[in-house]
């Protein structure tokens, strides 16, 4: 993760501070980091060394036979797996509006839905992860805590809490079978997962029932063995079995083929800590005291009518949000049940506020979620970066920039160190004025089995995946 030398911020002072990129959503460099093996879960995940060696050999043997091919020949395709999937390919000719829609409209996909799970290397087995079960919750949490997304410099790793995972995975209408795990049979240890939740998504005005895919994770000791494609094939089969044929997902890596590319921006709330942990650095001509002044916020929001969202607000928030989201090319379609689940405040997970006018009408809405990152380098006393991520925001009674200025204050009051946002929707309009610095990683948006005639601008995208 290299700081963005050109970090564009509002003024010369803010310019002096370069935000380190997306705290972790940029893809890992896949360092296996043998040095951390005793505390990264590898012992439990892989059994003792000799057992691991045998299993590794089996995995390798099995996967070189994989019909989708590895990369062992010089003519191997660049994306041996993705080139076999119903996704847009690089270099594909643009066929215009007429070709928009499903890429595989039935044929191969329905065969897959009825077939058996793809075979795993000997010694491994499929499971479903029941997030209502505390023991499973803990296993998923630990797998992600030790193995999930890191920044390119291996300084930070996402630290999803158990409550967050339960929220993200047990959404209205979720299917237990879409929380796919792989276990090592001898020890029953969870070593890989991929998850999906059902969602209705509007793509250029057409509403489609999809799966939102997230939390693809393979234990560090099992990387580069083509387990990820096997997980993706299995979740596809399980999703298809529910008669769902499209999916949306995001990733830091470039795969065939993004439909949109967004960028993270970061607003320092505790500049001193951010510098201490190496998330942000001051330029040579700036001082800490100056930077503290630059990022200082008022102690409380400007808008007096701003208050925490309540259950009784759900119908109005649903209406406000639905109207707002309907103008975007890619956006969730949310029922009241969805809004209640995704946007009602949850301690330590999601924060939502409304502005109610004197007639009882809800005119504005703010939300952000709590996704800390572990600090995995050892050059600081701090253990955790407390990051708020902008979720959905709607301003109708005031300019969006004023609403978001209050969102920053609310995040600061809730003890966050940094406020992150993607440049989706109208977000680009407030970034500079509110002293956000540009991150260094892109987040790519993908649709599975759906072709668009042209890529979308980030400003046309209103789908935020946790
Ligand atoms: S994004 C978050 C991804 N997770 C992480 O970054 C956590 C840390 N990293 C890891 O755990 C591993 O490195 C992962 C790859 C698991 C990422 N999305 O097994 P391999 C392709 C899709 O040897 P590993 C999120 O969760 C890669 O291009 N594909 O590699 C959204 C190559 O294929 P090809 C990816 O490093 C997930 C193949 O995998 C990704 O051991 C959306 C190599 O496999 C990635 N992020 O494991 C998933 N990274 O040769 C797609 C690498 O063709 C969902 N690869 O280039 C699709 C929709 C499915 C449902 C459809 C329903 C209709």
């Amino acid at each position: 993760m290299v700081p963005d030398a050109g970090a564009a911020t509002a003024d010369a002072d803010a310019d002096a501070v370069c935000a380190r990129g997306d705290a972790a959503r940029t893809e890992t460099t896949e360092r296996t980091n043998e040095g951390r093996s005793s505390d990264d879960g590898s012992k439990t995940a892989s059994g003792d060394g000799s057992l691991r060696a045998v299993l590794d050999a089996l995995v390798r043997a099995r996967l070189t036979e994989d019909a989708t091919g590895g990369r062992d020949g010089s003519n191997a395709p660049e994306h041996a797996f993705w080139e076999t999937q119903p996704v847009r390919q690089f270099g594909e000719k643009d066929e215009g509006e007429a070709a928009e829609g499903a890429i595989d409209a039935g044929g191969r996909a329905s065969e897959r839905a009825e077939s058996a799970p793809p075979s795993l290397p000997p010694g491994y087995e499929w499971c479903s992860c029941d997030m209502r079960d505390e023991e499973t919750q803990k296993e998923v949490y630990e797998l992600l805590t030790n193995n999930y997304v890191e920044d390119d410099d291996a300084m930070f790793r996402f630290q999803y809490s158990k409550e967050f995972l339960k929220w993200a995975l047990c959404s209205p209408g979720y299917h237990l079978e879409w929380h796919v795990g792989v276990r090592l049979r001898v020890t029953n240890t969870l070593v890989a997962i991929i998850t999906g939740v059902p969602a209705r998504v509007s793509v250029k005005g057409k509403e489609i029932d999809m799966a939102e895919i997230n939390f693809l994770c393979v234990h560090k000791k099992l990387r580069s063995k083509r387990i990820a494609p096997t997980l993706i094939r299995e979740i596809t089969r399980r999703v298809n079995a529910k008669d769902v044929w499209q999916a949306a997902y995001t990733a830091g890596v470039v795969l065939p083929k993004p439909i949109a590319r967004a960028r993270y921006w970061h607003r320092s709330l505790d500049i001193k800590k951010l510098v201490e942990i190496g998330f942000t650095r001051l330029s040579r001509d700036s001082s800490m005291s100056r930077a503290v002044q630059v990022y200082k916020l008022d102690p409380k929001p400007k808008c007096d009518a701003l208050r925490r969202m309540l259950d009784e607000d759900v119908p109005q928030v649903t209406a406000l949000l639905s109207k707002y989201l309907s103008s975007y090319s890619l956006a969730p379609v949310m029922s009241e049940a969805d809004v209640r689940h995704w946007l009602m405040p949850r301690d330590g997970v999601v924060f939502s506020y409304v502005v109610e006018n004197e007639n009882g009408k809800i005119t504005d809405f703010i939300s952000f979620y709590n996704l800390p990152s572990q600090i995995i380098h050892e050059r600081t006393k701090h253990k955790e970066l407390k990051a708020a991520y902008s979720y959905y925001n709607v301003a109708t009674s005031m300019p969006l920039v004023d609403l978001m200025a209050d969102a920053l204050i609310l995040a600061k009051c809730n003890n966050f160190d940094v406020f992150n946002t993607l440049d989706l929707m109208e977000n680009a309009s407030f970034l500079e004025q509110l002293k956000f610095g540009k991150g260094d990683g892109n987040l790519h948006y993908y649709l599975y089995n759906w072709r668009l005639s042209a890529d979308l601008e980030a400003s046309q995208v209103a789908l935020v995946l946790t």
Side-chain angles (χ1 to χ4, degrees), residues 198-427:
R200 198 161 172 79
V201 177
S202 165
V203 186
K204 293 177 81 176
K206 188 170 170 53
E207 292 186 10
I208 306 170
D209 287 317
M210 294 195 187
E212 285 174 359
I213 307 293
N214 206 346
F215 303 116
L216 168 61
C217 182
V218 170
H219 191 282
K220 287 187 177 209
K221 296 287 177 190
L222 295 175
R223 295 277 169 87
S224 303
K225 300 176 194 300
R226 315 292 302 174
I227 290 175
T230 313
L231 282 164
I232 295 168
R233 269 193 236 109
E234 175 57 357
I235 199 162
T236 303
R237 192 187 69 83
R238 294 187 189 196
V239 169
N240 288 168
K242 295 279 180 205
D243 202 20
V244 174
W245 307 93
Q246 273 73 38
Y249 48 104
T250 57
V253 283
V254 178
L255 306 162
K257 193 191 165 197
I259 56 152
R261 194 178 66 185
R263 181 67 83 121
Y264 271 106
W265 289 70
H266 312 274
R267 194 340 173 142
S268 303
L269 302 176
D270 184 344
I271 182 67
K272 193 161 171 289
K273 177 171 171 188
L274 295 180
V275 170
E276 281 168 11
I277 65 176
F279 182 82
T280 301
R281 63 183 160 70
L282 299 179
S283 70
R284 253 173 281 142
D285 55 353
S286 187
S287 68
M288 182 54 76
S289 54
R290 183 108 184 85
V292 168
Q293 278 312 309
V294 168
Y295 291 111
K296 207 169 160 132
L297 291 166
D298 289 341
K300 62 182 197 46
K302 244 196 196 92
C303 175
D304 289 331
L306 199 52
R307 61 160 173 83
R308 220 170 114 96
M309 180 183 172
L310 301 171
D311 192 68
E312 68 219 39
D313 300 326
V314 167
Q316 284 206 61
V317 169
T318 308
L320 182 70
L321 199 59
S322 301
K323 183 162 181 239
Y324 180 69
L325 294 176
S326 67
S327 63
Y328 290 95
S329 300
L330 183 73
V333 179
M334 290 210 216
S335 65
E336 286 187 10
D338 294 323
V339 167
R340 184 167 285 109
H341 177 83
W342 292 114
L343 295 169
M344 271 298 292
R346 277 179 193 238
D347 284 350
V349 176
V350 60
F351 299 73
S352 305
Y353 302 85
V354 296
V355 176
E356 181 180 354
N357 72 13
E358 57 284 2
N359 305 320
K361 186 167 182 239
I362 290 176
T363 52
D364 309 81
F365 176 70
I366 289 174
S367 59
F368 48 87
Y369 59 84
N370 173 20
L371 173 47
S373 283
Q374 304 162 64
I375 302 165
I376 52 179
H377 67 85
E378 279 159 10
R379 299 185 294 280
T380 172
K381 63 181 191 309
H382 300 286
K383 297 274 176 274
E384 188 177 79
L385 165 63
K386 297 195 181 79
Y389 284 74
S390 177
Y391 202 18
Y392 294 101
N393 305 291
V394 186
T396 68
S397 77
M398 64 182 101
L400 183 61
V401 63
D402 293 349
L403 188 72
M404 294 312 293
D406 278 351
L408 296 178
I409 293 169
L410 291 166
K412 176 85 183 160
C413 293
N414 282 290
N415 225 8
F416 286 100
D417 303 322
V418 66
F419 188 95
N420 297 333
T421 187
L422 288 160
D423 54 1
L424 305 175
M425 300 174 263
E426 297 171 273
N427 294 353

Side-chain angles (χ1 to χ4, degrees), residues 6-263:
T9 43
D11 59 317
D13 293 310
D15 222 349
V17 184
C18 302
R20 297 196 66 97
D22 160 14
R25 192 47 143 170
T26 20
E27 203 73 5
T28 171
T29 50
E30 297 188 8
R31 291 176 198 187
T32 51
N33 201 345
E34 300 292 335
R36 283 204 304 271
S37 59
S38 60
D39 61 354
D40 68 2
S42 57
K43 270 248 164 67
T44 37
S46 312
D48 68 57
S50 54
L51 174 60
R52 194 174 70 227
V54 173
L55 291 174
D56 278 3
L58 288 170
V59 170
R60 256 180 260 117
R62 158 68 183 77
L63 293 167
T64 41
E65 291 160 14
D66 187 342
T68 59
R71 289 189 209 186
D72 46 347
S74 54
N75 295 329
E78 197 185 339
H79 291 289
F81 169 69
W82 281 110
E83 285 171 18
T84 67
Q85 297 301 296
V87 292
R88 274 204 84 192
Q89 302 295 330
F90 295 116
E92 199 177 283
K93 218 170 72 231
D94 189 356
E95 291 169 50
E97 296 276 332
E100 290 211 339
I103 294 170
D104 176 4
R108 274 179 17 210
S110 51
E111 279 163 37
R112 261 202 320 268
E114 282 154 25
S115 64
S119 53
L120 282 167
Y124 294 86
E125 63 189 10
W126 293 111
C127 68
S128 296
C129 297
D130 185 351
M131 293 302 287
R132 292 161 308 186
D133 172 60
E134 272 189 30
E135 191 49 40
T136 311
Q137 240 181 66
K138 186 161 168 261
E139 290 177 292
V140 172
Y141 166 81
E142 279 173 5
L143 178 70
L144 295 175
T145 296
N146 295 315
N147 301 280
Y148 200 47
V149 180
E150 297 175 8
D151 64 287
D152 286 342
D153 298 335
M155 292 175 68
F156 307 100
R157 188 187 305 131
F158 276 149
Q159 174 73 72
Y160 285 90
S161 67
K162 288 186 202 139
E163 299 70 36
F164 191 115
L165 292 170
K166 223 172 132 192
W167 171 63
L169 296 177
C170 300
S171 56
Y174 80 95
H175 307 291
L176 175 58
E177 313 86 287
W178 291 11
H179 303 161
V180 182
V182 173
R183 290 184 185 276
L184 179 60
R185 200 172 277 137
V186 274
T187 56
N188 204 34
T189 311
L190 187 70
V191 293
I193 57 164
I194 187 167
T195 69
V197 292
R200 198 161 172 79
V201 177
S202 165
V203 186
K204 293 177 81 176
K206 188 170 170 53
E207 292 186 10
I208 306 170
D209 287 317
M210 294 195 187
E212 285 174 359
I213 307 293
N214 206 346
F215 303 116
L216 168 61
C217 182
V218 170
H219 191 282
K220 287 187 177 209
K221 296 287 177 190
L222 295 175
R223 295 277 169 87
S224 303
K225 300 176 194 300
R226 315 292 302 174
I227 290 175
T230 313
L231 282 164
I232 295 168
R233 269 193 236 109
E234 175 57 357
I235 199 162
T236 303
R237 192 187 69 83
R238 294 187 189 196
V239 169
N240 288 168
K242 295 279 180 205
D243 202 20
V244 174
W245 307 93
Q246 273 73 38
Y249 48 104
T250 57
V253 283
V254 178
L255 306 162
K257 193 191 165 197
I259 56 152
R261 194 178 66 185
R263 181 67 83 121

